[in-house]
Coordinates of all heavy atoms in Angstrom, one line a residue:
M1135 N 216.7 -27.7 -58.4 CA 216.8 -29.1 -58.9 C 216.1 -30.0 -57.8 O 216.7 -30.1 -56.7 CB 218.1 -29.5 -59.2 CG 218.4 -30.9 -59.7 SD 220.0 -31.2 -60.1 CE 220.2 -32.8 -59.6
N1136 N 215.0 -30.6 -58.1 CA 214.3 -31.5 -57.1 C 214.7 -32.8 -57.6 O 214.8 -33.2 -58.8 CB 212.8 -31.1 -57.2 CG 212.5 -29.9 -56.6 OD1 213.2 -29.4 -55.6 ND2 211.4 -29.3 -56.9
L1137 N 214.8 -33.8 -56.6 CA 215.0 -35.1 -56.9 C 213.7 -36.0 -57.1 O 212.7 -35.8 -56.4 CB 215.7 -35.8 -55.7 CG 217.2 -35.2 -55.5 CD1 217.8 -35.8 -54.3 CD2 218.0 -35.5 -56.6
S1138 N 213.7 -36.9 -58.0 CA 212.7 -37.9 -58.2 C 212.5 -38.9 -57.0 O 213.6 -39.0 -56.3 CB 212.8 -38.5 -59.4 OG 213.8 -39.5 -59.4
R1139 N 211.5 -39.4 -56.8 CA 211.2 -40.4 -55.7 C 212.2 -41.6 -55.9 O 212.8 -42.0 -54.8 CB 209.9 -40.9 -55.7 CG 209.5 -41.7 -54.5 CD 208.2 -42.2 -54.5 NE 207.2 -41.0 -54.6 CZ 206.6 -40.5 -53.6 NH1 206.8 -40.9 -52.3 NH2 205.8 -39.4 -53.7
E1140 N 212.4 -42.1 -57.1 CA 213.3 -43.2 -57.3 C 214.8 -42.8 -56.8 O 215.5 -43.5 -56.3 CB 213.4 -43.7 -58.7 CG 212.0 -44.3 -59.1 CD 211.0 -43.3 -59.5 OE1 211.4 -42.1 -59.9 OE2 209.9 -43.5 -59.5
L1141 N 215.3 -41.6 -57.3 CA 216.6 -41.2 -57.0 C 216.8 -41.0 -55.5 O 217.8 -41.3 -54.9 CB 216.9 -39.9 -57.7 CG 218.4 -39.4 -57.6 CD1 219.2 -40.5 -58.1 CD2 218.5 -38.2 -58.4
K1142 N 215.8 -40.4 -54.8 CA 215.8 -40.4 -53.3 C 216.0 -41.7 -52.6 O 216.7 -41.8 -51.6 CB 214.7 -39.6 -52.7 CG 214.6 -38.3 -52.9 CD 213.4 -37.6 -52.1 CE 213.3 -36.2 -52.2 NZ 212.3 -35.6 -51.5
T1143 N 215.3 -42.9 -53.1 CA 215.5 -44.1 -52.4 C 216.8 -44.6 -52.6 O 217.3 -45.4 -51.9 CB 214.5 -45.1 -53.1 OG1 214.7 -45.2 -54.4 CG2 213.0 -44.7 -52.8
D1144 N 217.6 -44.3 -53.7 CA 219.0 -44.8 -53.9 C 219.9 -43.8 -53.3 O 220.9 -44.3 -52.7 CB 219.3 -44.9 -55.4 CG 218.5 -45.8 -56.2 OD1 217.9 -46.8 -55.5 OD2 218.2 -45.7 -57.3
W1145 N 219.7 -42.7 -53.3 CA 220.7 -41.4 -53.0 C 220.6 -41.3 -51.4 O 221.7 -41.1 -50.8 CB 220.3 -40.2 -53.6 CG 220.8 -38.9 -53.2 CD1 222.1 -38.4 -53.6 CD2 220.2 -38.0 -52.5 NE1 222.2 -37.2 -53.1 CE2 221.1 -36.9 -52.4 CE3 219.0 -37.9 -51.9 CZ2 220.9 -35.7 -51.7 CZ3 218.8 -36.7 -51.2 CH2 219.7 -35.7 -51.0
L1146 N 219.5 -41.2 -50.9 CA 219.3 -40.8 -49.5 C 220.0 -41.7 -48.4 O 220.7 -41.3 -47.6 CB 217.8 -40.7 -49.0 CG 217.5 -40.0 -47.9 CD1 218.1 -38.6 -47.7 CD2 216.0 -39.9 -47.6
P1147 N 219.9 -43.1 -48.6 CA 220.6 -44.0 -47.6 C 222.1 -43.7 -47.6 O 222.7 -43.8 -46.5 CB 220.2 -45.3 -48.0 CG 218.8 -45.2 -48.6 CD 219.0 -43.8 -49.4
K1148 N 222.6 -43.5 -48.7 CA 224.1 -43.5 -48.7 C 224.5 -42.0 -48.1 O 225.5 -42.0 -47.4 CB 224.5 -43.3 -50.3 CG 224.4 -44.7 -50.9 CD 224.7 -44.6 -52.4 CE 224.4 -45.9 -53.0 NZ 224.6 -45.9 -54.4
L1149 N 223.6 -41.0 -48.3 CA 224.1 -39.7 -47.7 C 223.8 -39.9 -46.1 O 224.5 -39.1 -45.3 CB 223.2 -38.5 -48.4 CG 223.6 -38.2 -49.7 CD1 222.8 -37.0 -50.0 CD2 225.1 -37.7 -49.6
Q1150 N 222.8 -40.5 -45.7 CA 222.5 -40.6 -44.3 C 223.7 -41.3 -43.6 O 224.2 -40.9 -42.5 CB 221.3 -41.5 -44.0 CG 220.0 -40.6 -44.4 CD 218.8 -41.6 -44.3 OE1 218.8 -42.8 -44.3 NE2 217.7 -40.9 -44.1
V1151 N 224.2 -42.3 -44.2 CA 225.5 -42.9 -43.6 C 226.5 -42.0 -43.6 O 227.2 -42.0 -42.6 CB 225.9 -44.2 -44.5 CG1 227.2 -44.8 -44.0 CG2 224.8 -45.3 -44.4
R1152 N 226.9 -41.4 -44.7 CA 228.0 -40.3 -44.7 C 227.9 -39.3 -43.7 O 228.8 -38.8 -42.9 CB 228.1 -39.6 -46.1 CG 228.8 -40.6 -47.1 CD 228.9 -40.0 -48.5 NE 229.4 -38.6 -48.4 CZ 229.1 -37.6 -49.4 NH1 228.3 -37.9 -50.4 NH2 229.6 -36.5 -49.2
Y1153 N 226.5 -38.8 -43.6 CA 226.3 -37.7 -42.6 C 226.5 -38.1 -41.1 O 227.0 -37.4 -40.3 CB 224.8 -37.2 -42.7 CG 224.3 -36.1 -41.9 CD1 224.6 -34.8 -42.2 CD2 223.5 -36.3 -40.8 CE1 224.3 -33.7 -41.5 CE2 223.2 -35.2 -40.1 CZ 223.4 -33.9 -40.3 OH 223.0 -32.9 -39.6
S1154 N 226.1 -39.4 -40.8 CA 226.1 -39.8 -39.5 C 227.7 -39.9 -39.1 O 228.0 -39.9 -37.9 CB 225.5 -41.2 -39.3 OG 226.1 -42.2 -40.0
R1155 N 228.6 -40.2 -40.0 CA 230.0 -40.5 -39.6 C 230.7 -39.2 -39.6 O 231.8 -39.2 -39.1 CB 230.7 -41.4 -40.7 CG 230.1 -42.8 -40.8 CD 230.8 -43.6 -41.8 NE 230.2 -44.9 -41.9 CZ 230.4 -45.8 -42.7 NH1 231.1 -45.5 -43.8 NH2 229.8 -47.0 -42.7
R1156 N 230.2 -38.2 -39.9 CA 230.8 -36.8 -39.9 C 230.9 -36.1 -38.5 O 229.9 -36.4 -37.8 CB 230.3 -35.8 -41.0 CG 230.7 -36.4 -42.4 CD 230.2 -35.3 -43.3 NE 230.7 -35.7 -44.7 CZ 231.0 -35.0 -45.6 NH1 231.0 -33.7 -45.4 NH2 231.4 -35.4 -46.8
N1157 N 231.8 -35.2 -38.3 CA 231.7 -34.5 -37.1 C 230.9 -33.2 -37.3 O 230.3 -33.0 -38.4 CB 233.2 -34.0 -36.6 CG 233.9 -33.2 -37.7 OD1 233.3 -32.8 -38.7 ND2 235.1 -32.9 -37.5
R1158 N 230.8 -32.4 -36.5 CA 229.9 -31.2 -36.6 C 230.2 -30.3 -37.6 O 229.3 -29.9 -38.4 CB 230.0 -30.4 -35.2 CG 229.0 -29.3 -35.1 CD 229.1 -28.7 -33.7 NE 228.1 -27.6 -33.6 CZ 227.4 -27.4 -32.5 NH1 227.8 -28.0 -31.4 NH2 226.5 -26.4 -32.5
E1159 N 231.5 -30.0 -37.9 CA 231.9 -29.1 -39.1 C 231.6 -29.8 -40.2 O 231.1 -29.2 -41.4 CB 233.3 -28.8 -38.9 CG 233.7 -28.0 -37.7 CD 235.2 -27.8 -37.5 OE1 236.0 -28.3 -38.4 OE2 235.6 -27.2 -36.4
G1160 N 231.9 -31.1 -40.4 CA 231.5 -31.9 -41.7 C 230.1 -31.8 -42.0 O 229.8 -31.8 -43.1
K1161 N 229.2 -32.1 -40.9 CA 227.8 -32.1 -41.2 C 227.4 -30.7 -41.6 O 226.5 -30.6 -42.6 CB 227.2 -32.5 -39.9 CG 227.3 -33.9 -39.5 CD 226.5 -34.2 -38.2 CE 226.8 -35.8 -37.8 NZ 226.0 -36.1 -36.6
S1162 N 227.8 -29.7 -41.1 CA 227.4 -28.4 -41.5 C 227.8 -28.2 -42.9 O 227.1 -27.6 -43.8 CB 228.1 -27.3 -40.6 OG 227.7 -26.1 -40.9
R1163 N 229.0 -28.4 -43.4 CA 229.4 -28.4 -44.7 C 228.6 -29.2 -45.7 O 228.2 -28.7 -46.8 CB 230.9 -28.7 -44.9 CG 231.8 -27.6 -45.3 CD 233.3 -28.0 -45.6 NE 233.9 -28.2 -44.2 CZ 234.5 -29.2 -43.6 NH1 234.5 -30.4 -44.4 NH2 235.1 -29.5 -42.6
M1164 N 228.3 -30.4 -45.3 CA 227.5 -31.2 -46.1 C 226.0 -30.7 -46.2 O 225.4 -30.7 -47.3 CB 227.4 -32.7 -45.5 CG 226.8 -33.7 -46.3 SD 226.9 -35.3 -45.5 CE 226.0 -36.3 -46.7
L1165 N 225.5 -30.1 -45.1 CA 224.2 -29.5 -45.2 C 224.1 -28.2 -46.2 O 223.2 -28.1 -46.9 CB 223.7 -29.1 -43.8 CG 223.2 -30.2 -43.0 CD1 223.0 -29.6 -41.5 CD2 221.9 -30.7 -43.5
D1166 N 225.2 -27.4 -46.0 CA 225.4 -26.4 -47.0 C 225.3 -26.8 -48.4 O 224.6 -26.2 -49.3 CB 226.6 -25.5 -46.6 CG 226.6 -24.9 -45.3 OD1 225.5 -24.5 -44.8 OD2 227.7 -24.5 -44.8
E1167 N 226.1 -27.8 -48.8 CA 226.1 -28.3 -50.1 C 224.8 -28.8 -50.6 O 224.2 -28.5 -51.8 CB 227.1 -29.3 -50.3 CG 228.5 -29.0 -50.2 CD 229.5 -30.2 -50.0 OE1 229.0 -31.3 -50.3 OE2 230.7 -29.9 -49.7
I1168 N 224.1 -29.5 -49.8 CA 222.8 -30.0 -50.1 C 221.7 -28.9 -50.3 O 220.9 -29.0 -51.3 CB 222.2 -31.2 -49.1 CG1 223.1 -32.4 -49.3 CG2 220.8 -31.5 -49.3 CD1 223.0 -33.5 -48.1
C1169 N 221.8 -28.0 -49.3 CA 220.8 -26.9 -49.5 C 221.0 -26.1 -50.8 O 220.1 -25.7 -51.4 CB 220.9 -26.0 -48.3 SG 220.3 -26.7 -46.8
E1170 N 222.3 -25.9 -51.1 CA 222.8 -25.2 -52.3 C 222.3 -26.0 -53.6 O 221.6 -25.3 -54.5 CB 224.2 -24.7 -52.3 CG 224.6 -23.9 -53.4 CD 226.0 -23.6 -53.4 OE1 226.5 -23.4 -52.2 OE2 226.7 -23.5 -54.5
D1171 N 222.7 -27.2 -53.6 CA 222.5 -28.0 -54.9 C 221.0 -28.4 -55.1 O 220.6 -28.2 -56.3 CB 223.2 -29.4 -54.7 CG 224.7 -29.0 -54.8 OD1 225.1 -27.9 -55.2 OD2 225.5 -30.0 -54.5
Y1172 N 220.3 -28.7 -54.1 CA 218.9 -29.2 -54.3 C 217.8 -28.1 -53.7 O 216.6 -28.5 -53.8 CB 218.8 -30.5 -53.5 CG 219.6 -31.5 -54.1 CD1 220.7 -31.9 -53.5 CD2 219.5 -32.1 -55.3 CE1 221.6 -32.8 -53.9 CE2 220.2 -33.0 -55.9 CZ 221.3 -33.3 -55.2 OH 222.2 -34.3 -55.7
E1173 N 218.3 -26.9 -53.3 CA 217.3 -25.9 -52.9 C 216.4 -26.3 -51.8 O 215.2 -26.1 -51.9 CB 216.5 -25.3 -54.1 CG 217.5 -24.7 -55.1 CD 216.7 -24.4 -56.5 OE1 215.5 -24.5 -56.5 OE2 217.4 -23.8 -57.4
Y1174 N 216.9 -27.1 -50.9 CA 216.3 -27.5 -49.7 C 216.4 -26.5 -48.6 O 217.3 -25.9 -48.6 CB 216.6 -28.9 -49.2 CG 216.2 -30.1 -50.0 CD1 216.9 -31.3 -49.9 CD2 215.0 -30.1 -50.9 CE1 216.5 -32.3 -50.8 CE2 214.7 -31.2 -51.8 CZ 215.5 -32.3 -51.7 OH 215.1 -33.5 -52.3
E1175 N 215.3 -26.5 -47.8 CA 215.5 -25.7 -46.6 C 216.5 -26.5 -45.6 O 216.5 -27.7 -45.6 CB 214.2 -25.4 -45.8 CG 213.3 -24.5 -46.7 CD 213.8 -23.1 -46.6 OE1 214.4 -22.7 -45.7 OE2 213.5 -22.4 -47.7
R1176 N 217.2 -25.8 -44.8 CA 218.3 -26.5 -44.0 C 217.5 -27.4 -43.0 O 218.1 -28.6 -42.8 CB 219.0 -25.5 -43.1 CG 220.3 -26.1 -42.5 CD 221.1 -24.8 -42.0 NE 222.2 -25.4 -41.3 CZ 223.4 -25.6 -41.9 NH1 223.6 -25.4 -43.3 NH2 224.5 -26.1 -41.2
K1177 N 216.4 -27.0 -42.4 CA 215.7 -28.0 -41.4 C 215.2 -29.3 -42.1 O 215.3 -30.4 -41.6 CB 214.6 -27.3 -40.6 CG 215.0 -26.2 -39.8 CD 215.5 -26.9 -38.4 CE 215.8 -25.7 -37.5 NZ 216.2 -26.3 -36.1
Y1178 N 214.7 -29.1 -43.4 CA 214.2 -30.2 -44.1 C 215.3 -31.2 -44.4 O 215.2 -32.3 -44.2 CB 213.5 -29.8 -45.4 CG 213.0 -30.8 -46.2 CD1 211.9 -31.5 -45.9 CD2 213.6 -31.2 -47.4 CE1 211.4 -32.5 -46.6 CE2 213.1 -32.1 -48.2 CZ 212.0 -32.8 -47.8 OH 211.5 -33.9 -48.6
A1179 N 216.5 -30.6 -44.8 CA 217.7 -31.5 -45.2 C 218.1 -32.3 -43.9 O 218.4 -33.4 -43.9 CB 218.8 -30.6 -45.8
I1180 N 218.2 -31.5 -42.7 CA 218.5 -32.2 -41.5 C 217.6 -33.4 -41.2 O 218.0 -34.4 -40.8 CB 218.6 -31.2 -40.4 CG1 219.6 -30.2 -40.5 CG2 218.6 -31.9 -39.0 CD1 219.6 -29.1 -39.5
K1181 N 216.4 -33.2 -41.4 CA 215.3 -34.3 -41.0 C 215.5 -35.4 -42.1 O 215.5 -36.5 -41.7 CB 213.9 -33.6 -41.2 CG 213.5 -32.7 -40.1 CD 212.1 -32.2 -40.1 CE 211.9 -31.2 -39.1 NZ 210.6 -30.5 -39.2
L1182 N 215.8 -35.1 -43.2 CA 216.1 -36.2 -44.3 C 217.3 -37.0 -43.9 O 217.3 -38.3 -44.0 CB 216.1 -35.6 -45.6 CG 215.1 -35.2 -46.4 CD1 215.5 -34.6 -47.8 CD2 214.1 -36.3 -46.7
L1183 N 218.3 -36.3 -43.5 CA 219.6 -37.0 -43.2 C 219.5 -37.6 -41.9 O 220.4 -38.4 -41.7 CB 220.7 -36.1 -43.4 CG 221.0 -35.4 -44.7 CD1 222.0 -34.4 -44.8 CD2 221.4 -36.6 -45.7
C1184 N 218.9 -37.2 -41.0 CA 218.7 -38.0 -39.6 C 217.8 -39.1 -39.6 O 217.5 -39.6 -38.4 CB 218.4 -36.9 -38.6 SG 219.7 -35.8 -38.3
G1185 N 217.4 -39.5 -40.6 CA 216.4 -40.7 -40.6 C 215.2 -40.6 -41.4 O 214.4 -41.6 -41.4
G1186 N 215.0 -39.6 -42.1 CA 214.0 -39.5 -43.1 C 212.8 -38.9 -42.4 O 212.5 -38.9 -41.2
L1187 N 211.8 -38.5 -43.3 CA 210.5 -38.1 -42.7 C 209.6 -39.2 -42.8 O 209.6 -40.0 -43.6 CB 210.1 -36.9 -43.7 CG 210.9 -35.7 -43.6 CD1 210.4 -34.6 -44.8 CD2 210.9 -35.0 -42.3
P1188 N 208.6 -39.2 -41.9 CA 207.6 -40.3 -41.9 C 206.6 -40.1 -43.2 O 206.5 -38.9 -43.4 CB 206.9 -40.0 -40.5 CG 207.0 -38.6 -40.2 CD 208.4 -38.4 -40.8
P1189 N 206.1 -41.2 -43.6 CA 205.3 -41.1 -44.8 C 204.0 -40.4 -44.4 O 203.5 -40.4 -43.2 CB 205.0 -42.4 -45.1 CG 205.3 -43.3 -44.1 CD 206.4 -42.5 -43.2
P1190 N 203.3 -39.7 -45.2 CA 201.9 -39.1 -44.9 C 201.0 -40.2 -44.3 O 200.9 -41.2 -45.0 CB 201.5 -38.4 -46.2 CG 202.7 -38.4 -47.2 CD 203.7 -39.4 -46.6
S1191 N 200.3 -39.8 -43.3 CA 199.4 -40.8 -42.8 C 198.1 -40.8 -43.5 O 197.4 -41.9 -43.3 CB 199.1 -40.4 -41.3 OG 198.4 -39.2 -41.2
G1192 N 197.7 -39.8 -44.2 CA 196.3 -39.8 -44.9 C 195.2 -39.6 -44.0 O 194.0 -39.8 -44.4
R1193 N 195.5 -39.2 -42.9 CA 194.4 -39.0 -41.9 C 193.7 -37.7 -42.2 O 194.1 -36.8 -42.9 CB 194.9 -39.0 -40.4 CG 195.5 -37.7 -40.1 CD 196.0 -37.7 -38.6 NE 196.6 -36.4 -38.2 CZ 196.1 -35.3 -37.9 NH1 194.8 -35.2 -37.9 NH2 196.7 -34.3 -37.6
V1194 N 192.4 -37.6 -41.7 CA 191.6 -36.4 -41.9 C 191.9 -35.5 -40.8 O 192.0 -35.7 -39.7 CB 190.1 -36.8 -41.9 CG1 189.2 -35.5 -42.1 CG2 189.7 -37.8 -42.9
H1195 N 192.2 -34.1 -41.3 CA 192.5 -33.1 -40.4 C 191.2 -32.7 -39.6 O 190.2 -32.7 -40.2 CB 193.1 -31.9 -41.1 CG 194.3 -32.2 -41.7 ND1 195.5 -32.3 -41.1 CD2 194.7 -32.4 -43.0 CE1 196.5 -32.7 -41.9 NE2 196.0 -32.7 -43.2
P1196 N 191.5 -32.4 -38.4 CA 190.3 -31.9 -37.5 C 189.8 -30.6 -38.0 O 190.5 -29.7 -38.6 CB 190.9 -31.9 -36.1 CG 192.4 -31.6 -36.4 CD 192.7 -32.4 -37.6
G1197 N 188.5 -30.2 -37.7 CA 187.9 -29.0 -38.0 C 186.6 -29.2 -38.7 O 186.2 -30.3 -39.0
P1198 N 185.9 -28.2 -38.9 CA 184.6 -28.3 -39.6 C 184.9 -28.7 -41.0 O 185.8 -28.5 -41.7 CB 184.2 -26.9 -39.6 CG 185.3 -26.0 -39.4 CD 186.4 -26.8 -38.6
S1199 N 183.9 -29.6 -41.4 CA 184.0 -30.2 -42.7 C 183.5 -29.1 -43.7 O 182.7 -28.3 -43.5 CB 183.2 -31.4 -42.8 OG 181.8 -31.2 -42.6
R1200 N 184.0 -29.3 -44.9 CA 183.7 -28.4 -46.0 C 182.3 -29.0 -46.7 O 182.4 -30.0 -47.0 CB 184.7 -28.1 -46.9 CG 185.9 -27.4 -46.4 CD 186.9 -27.1 -47.4 NE 188.1 -26.4 -46.9 CZ 189.1 -26.1 -47.4 NH1 189.2 -26.4 -48.9 NH2 190.2 -25.5 -46.9
S1201 N 181.4 -28.1 -46.9 CA 180.2 -28.6 -47.6 C 180.1 -27.8 -48.9 O 180.4 -26.7 -48.9 CB 179.0 -28.5 -46.8 OG 178.7 -27.0 -46.5
M1202 N 179.8 -28.5 -50.0 CA 179.6 -27.8 -51.2 C 178.1 -27.4 -51.4 O 177.3 -28.1 -51.3 CB 180.0 -28.8 -52.3 CG 181.3 -29.5 -52.3 SD 182.6 -28.0 -52.4 CE 182.8 -28.1 -54.2
R1203 N 178.0 -26.1 -51.6 CA 176.6 -25.6 -51.8 C 176.3 -25.2 -53.2 O 177.0 -24.9 -54.0 CB 176.4 -24.4 -50.9 CG 176.5 -24.7 -49.5 CD 176.2 -23.4 -48.5 NE 176.3 -23.9 -47.2 CZ 175.7 -23.2 -46.2 NH1 175.1 -22.0 -46.5 NH2 175.9 -23.5 -45.0

């Protein structure tokens, strides 16, 4: 079950507050629940709960450009 963007904007700040107030065991339990419910990888869930991921920059990646022949 993946979350829509609108739901993440409402849901995520509340979970970040709850996550920050918990001790180590509580954080681990909370991560387990999120990973199980939403099928997120553990590292991704940690990044979301610790302050969110930065928005994509839209920059061009280095390397040779692709040419259409």
Side-chain angles (χ1 to χ4, degrees):
M1135 176 173 143
N1136 290 329
L1137 296 175
S1138 67
R1139 187 176 307 263
E1140 295 82 23
L1141 187 56
K1142 275 188 183 179
T1143 58
D1144 296 336
W1145 168 81
L1146 193 55
K1148 294 175 186 175
L1149 283 180
Q1150 286 172 338
V1151 170
R1152 284 180 45 207
Y1153 183 77
S1154 66
R1155 292 180 181 166
R1156 291 185 176 215
N1157 62 8
R1158 186 177 186 143
E1159 294 170 7
K1161 286 180 179 181
S1162 181
R1163 240 180 287 121
M1164 189 172 176
L1165 283 170
D1166 291 339
E1167 291 172 8
I1168 289 172
C1169 291
E1170 185 178 325
D1171 293 344
Y1172 300 106
E1173 299 175 1
Y1174 287 156
E1175 294 290 327
R1176 193 171 179 89
K1177 289 285 186 175
Y1178 179 73
I1180 291 170
K1181 288 177 185 178
L1182 281 177
L1183 294 174
C1184 286
L1187 297 172
S1191 63
R1193 71 175 183 85
V1194 178
H1195 296 284
S1199 61
R1200 294 183 179 178
S1201 60
M1202 302 298 271
R1203 292 186 184 196

